C-alpha cells in the first residue's frame, strides 16, 4: 500500500506527526480541570500518575475508560486490511480528537488525518500532522486564508467542494494572492448531507474548479454513511448504488482531463461500509503512467480504533462477515446514587458523561466497588438519561441493586463519547489487568 505519497504524488519519508509534541502531553500537570482524575492526584504530572501504579479502583464515577489491548488490536487490524487491499487510510480524527491515538494510526501507515472543521485543522497542525484532509467545504474566509498559508506540497491540506457557489467564495477570498488549494469535488445524493446531488452537477463543479487559477482538482470525495443506517439489503443497495455513481463521476472527470495533478484520490468510507467502498471503487486504482495520473482509493474510517458495544458492533464489516470483529475499546462506569423504588436505580452518569445519540448505554456488569469483582447484570436496561443521571430498570425479584454499587456500561458511538472528557484513562485490559496504562488527552 502506498503510505508515503503526498497529494501531488511526491514521495516523503518525513514524520507524519510530531513525536515531540505528542510526548509533551505526558508532562501535563493534572488538576481539577480533568474530571477523570481523582482529587488525590491533583498536581501530579501525566507521567507521574501512570508511573504510580494506579488502577481502576483509584478512580471515581462517573467515568469513561479505554482498553489498551482493544485499541492496539483494532488499529493493527484495519492497517493490515488496507495494506492487503491496496488502499489508503486517512482516519477521521474528529472521532477522538486525540493526537496520541492519531499517532498510533499514522505510525501504522495511515496517509494522514481527516478532520471536519477549521478548529480541528489547527489542532492537527499544532501537533505536526503533515497530511490533512478537511471532509468539508471551506467557506469561512478566515479558514480559507489560514489553509492557504499552511498548505504546501510537503504538508498538504485537501478540502472538498460541492457547488459553484463554493468555488466563487474560494476564488473571491484568494483573489489577491498566489495560493492554489488542492480540492476534491464532492458527490452527494438526494436525502444525504453535503455534496452535489447528481453526477452532472458534480461535473459542472469540477469544470468550475478547473477554470480557477486558485484551485486544483485532485480527486472525488463522498460519504456513503448518511444514506443508510443498517446493513440489510436495502441499506447496502443504497450504499453500493451511491458508490457506483462516485466511480462514474471519477471516470467522467478523467475522460474530460479535468484533474490537475499527477496523483488523485477517490475517497469515501466511514467505519460502517468501508468494505463496500473498496469493493465498488477498487477498479479506480491506477498506477501512475504516461497515460494519466496515479489514482488511489482512500477510506476515512475513524470510529474503528475504539469501536463500541452498540451501533458499530452491529454494522461493522468485520461483524457482518462472520469473522473476527473489532473489540469494544471503551466502557462507561457509573455508581448507583439512588434506588428509590423497586426495579429502578438512578446512576451518577448522564448526557454530560456518556454517548446516547446512537443508542443508550447498556448495563453489562455490577459489583459493590469500582475495580472489584463484578457479576453479569442480566435483564437490566437504561431507559433514559438526564444531564447527570441514568435511569436503570431491573428485575427486583432476581437482581439486587444497592446504593453505592458500580455498573459497567457498554456504549455506542465513540464520536460522541470522547468530546465529554479532556483526559481518558486507558486500562491495560478492561476484562483483566485494570492498571492505568496511559492517559489520553482530547482537544475538542
Amino acid at each position: 500500500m502506498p503510505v508515503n505519497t503526498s497529494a501531488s504524488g511526491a514521495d516523503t519519508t518525513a514524520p507524519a506527526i510530531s513525536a515531540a509534541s505528542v510526548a509533551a502531553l505526558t508532562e501535563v500537570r493534572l488538576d481539577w480541570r480533568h474530571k477523570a482524575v481523582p482529587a488525590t492526584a491533583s498536581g501530579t504530572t501525566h507521567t507521574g500518575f501512570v508511573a504510580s501504579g494506579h488502577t481502576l479502583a483509584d478512580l471515581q464515577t462517573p467515568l469513561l475508560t479505554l482498553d489498551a489491548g482493544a485499541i492496539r488490536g483494532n488499529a493493527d487490524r484495519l492497517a493490515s486490511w488496507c495494506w492487503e487491499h491496496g488502499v489508503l487510510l486517512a482516519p477521521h480524527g474528529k472521532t477522538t480528537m486525540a493526537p496520541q491515538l492519531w499517532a498510533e494510526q499514522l505510525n501504522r501507515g495511515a496517509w494522514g488525518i481527516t478532520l471536519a472543521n477549521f478548529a480541528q485543522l489547527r489542532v492537527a497542525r499544532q501537533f505536526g500532522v503533515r497530511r490533512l484532509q478537511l471532509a468539508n467545504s471551506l467557506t469561512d474566509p478566515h479558514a480559507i486564508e489560514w489553509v492557504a498559508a499552511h498548505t504546501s506540497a510537503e504538508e498538504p491540506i485537501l478540502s472538498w467542494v460541492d457547488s459553484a457557489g463554493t468555488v466563487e467564495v474560494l476564488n473571491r477570498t484568494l483573489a489577491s494572492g498566489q495560493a492554489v488549494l488542492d480540492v476534491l469535488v464532492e458527490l452527494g445524493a438526494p436525502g444525504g448531507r453535503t455534496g452535489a446531488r447528481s453526477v452532472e452537477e458534480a461535473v459542472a463543479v469540477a469544470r468550475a474548479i478547473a477554470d480557477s487559477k486558485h484551485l486544483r482538482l485532485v480527486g472525488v470525495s463522498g460519504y456513503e454513511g448518511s444514506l443508510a443506517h443498517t446493513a440489510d439489503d436495502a441499506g447496502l443497495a443504497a450504499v453500493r448504488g451511491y458508490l457506483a455513481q462516485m466511480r462514474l463521476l471519477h471516470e467522467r472527470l478523467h475522460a474530460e482531463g479535468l484533474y490537475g495533478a499527477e496523483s488523485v484520490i477517490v475517497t469515501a468510507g466511514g467505519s460502517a461500509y468501508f468494505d463496500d467502498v473498496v469493493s465498488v471503487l477498487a477498479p479506480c486504482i491506477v498506477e501512475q503512467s504516461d497515460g494519466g495520473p496515479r489514482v488511489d482509493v482512500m477510506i476515512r474510517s475513524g470510529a474503528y480504533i475504539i469501536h463500541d458495544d452498540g451501533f458499530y458492533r452491529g454494522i461493522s464489516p468485520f461483524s457482518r462477515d462472520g469473522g473476527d470483529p473489532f473489540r469494544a475499546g471503551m466502557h462507561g462506569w457509573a455508581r448507583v446514587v439512588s434506588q428509590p423504588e423497586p426495579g429502578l436505580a438512578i446512576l451518577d452518569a448522564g448526557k454530560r458523561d456518556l454517548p446516547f445519540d446512537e443508542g443508550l448505554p447498556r448495563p453489562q456488569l455490577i459489583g459493590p466497588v469500582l475495580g472489584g469483582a463484578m457479576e453479569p447484570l442480566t435483564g437490566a436496561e437504561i431507559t433514559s438519561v438526564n444531564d447527570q443521571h441514568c435511569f436503570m430498570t431491573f428485575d427486583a425479584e432476581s437482581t439486587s441493586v444497592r446504593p453505592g454499587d458500580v455498573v459497567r456500561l457498554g456504549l455506542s458511538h465513540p464520536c460522541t463519547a470522547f468530546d465529554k472528557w479532556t483526559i481518558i484513562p486507558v486500562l491495560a485490559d478492561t476484562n483483566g489487568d485494570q492498571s492505568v496504562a496511559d492517559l489520553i488527552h482530547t482537544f475538542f
Side-chain angles (χ1 to χ4, degrees):
M1 184 178 72
V3 296
N4 286 320
T5 54
S6 71
S8 64
D11 182 65
T12 174
T13 55
I17 189 170
S18 169
S21 295
V22 174
L25 292 172
T26 64
E27 299 308 313
V28 169
R29 199 162 292 279
L30 311 178
D31 57 28
W32 53 268
R33 294 169 296 179
H34 309 118
K35 68 179 182 178
V37 176
T40 53
S42 185
T44 306
T45 65
H46 170 138
T47 297
F49 183 82
V50 174
S52 296
H54 287 286
T55 69
L56 177 62
D58 297 317
L59 307 178
Q60 70 282 301
T61 59
L63 181 65
L64 177 72
T65 63
L66 304 179
D67 185 312
I71 290 172
R72 283 194 304 270
N74 294 343
D76 288 342
R77 181 86 187 280
L78 192 59
S80 296
W81 190 91
C82 289
W83 180 272
E84 292 166 3
H85 289 80
V87 298
L88 300 176
L89 172 63
H92 213 319
K94 59 90 176 174
T95 298
T96 65
M97 287 306 295
Q100 294 154 284
L101 296 180
W102 297 348
E104 293 292 328
Q105 295 166 310
L106 292 165
N107 291 340
R108 285 170 171 80
W111 172 90
I113 296 294
T114 300
L115 295 161
N117 61 36
F118 176 32
Q120 293 171 5
L121 288 178
R122 294 178 63 197
V123 172
R125 270 292 190 255
Q126 181 65 33
F127 281 89
V129 179
R130 299 188 66 251
R131 291 180 290 275
L132 298 171
Q133 175 177 207
L134 178 69
N136 220 330
S137 292
L138 286 166
T139 56
D140 181 334
H142 298 292
I144 295 169
E145 292 168 353
W146 186 91
V147 169
H150 289 82
T151 188
S152 66
E154 293 74 28
E155 297 186 342
I157 302 175
L158 314 183
S159 64
W160 298 2
V161 175
D162 70 353
S163 71
T166 302
V167 174
E168 292 174 5
V169 171
L170 290 163
N171 284 336
R172 184 168 62 248
T173 305
L174 298 170
S176 61
Q178 302 299 315
V180 177
L181 302 188
D182 286 341
V183 299
L184 298 86
V185 62
E186 180 190 2
L187 180 67
R193 196 164 58 193
T194 55
R197 286 324 201 221
S198 69
V199 170
E200 291 300 326
E201 290 179 25
V203 170
V205 175
R207 290 170 181 156
I209 293 169
D211 289 339
S212 169
K213 67 177 183 179
H214 294 292
L215 304 176
R216 183 173 67 146
L217 184 61
V218 299
V220 170
S221 62
Y223 177 54
E224 76 292 339
S226 62
L227 304 178
H229 216 64
T230 64
D232 57 17
D233 290 345
L236 294 177
V239 167
R240 292 165 183 165
Y242 166 73
L243 294 169
Q245 292 296 103
M246 281 191 66
R247 178 180 168 185
L248 175 60
L249 172 59
H250 162 69
E251 292 169 348
R252 287 279 304 274
L253 302 185
H254 178 66
E256 288 196 28
L258 295 175
Y259 287 127
E262 295 179 351
S263 179
V264 301
I265 291 169
V266 180
T267 177
S271 293
Y273 305 106
F274 59 80
D275 59 334
D276 294 289
V277 169
V278 173
S279 176
V280 176
L281 297 182
C284 298
I285 299 173
V286 176
E287 293 294 330
Q288 191 167 11
S289 67
D290 294 339
R294 175 194 181 94
V295 182
D296 283 305
V297 168
M298 173 189 287
I299 63 172
R300 305 185 306 275
S301 310
Y304 78 94
I305 192 171
I306 302 302
H307 199 52
D308 65 14
D309 280 311
F311 174 71
Y312 285 109
R313 184 183 69 177
I315 203 170
S316 165
F318 295 157
S319 298
R320 291 188 270 119
D321 68 8
D324 182 23
F326 289 127
R327 289 173 53 195
M330 65 176 183
H331 291 90
W333 307 83
R335 201 176 301 272
V336 178
V337 293
S338 178
Q339 207 271 292
E341 58 190 67
L344 175 66
I346 309 300
L347 311 184
D348 66 353
K351 295 178 180 179
R352 302 284 175 83
D353 311 297
L354 305 175
F356 58 92
D357 60 314
E358 290 285 4
L360 295 177
R362 300 179 181 185
Q364 295 179 329
L365 302 172
I366 189 169
V369 295
L370 184 64
M374 305 192 88
E375 299 178 351
L377 183 53
T378 58
E381 180 182 5
I382 301 298
T383 58
S384 63
V385 292
N386 294 158
D387 288 352
Q388 311 291 175
H389 298 93
C390 286
F391 289 69
M392 186 179 78
T393 60
F394 61 95
D395 184 351
E397 294 186 1
S398 62
T399 303
S400 175
V401 177
R402 300 180 178 84
D405 283 352
V406 175
V407 177
R408 193 185 85 176
L409 299 162
L411 306 176
S412 181
H413 203 203
C415 301
T416 51
F418 275 57
D419 63 312
K420 298 168 176 57
W421 299 85
T422 53
I423 280 182
I424 308 174
V426 182
L427 304 182
D429 182 347
T430 302
N431 295 309
D433 181 358
Q434 295 183 335
S435 61
V436 177
D438 203 357
L439 300 172
I440 295 297
H441 300 251
T442 70
F443 296 86
F444 285 91

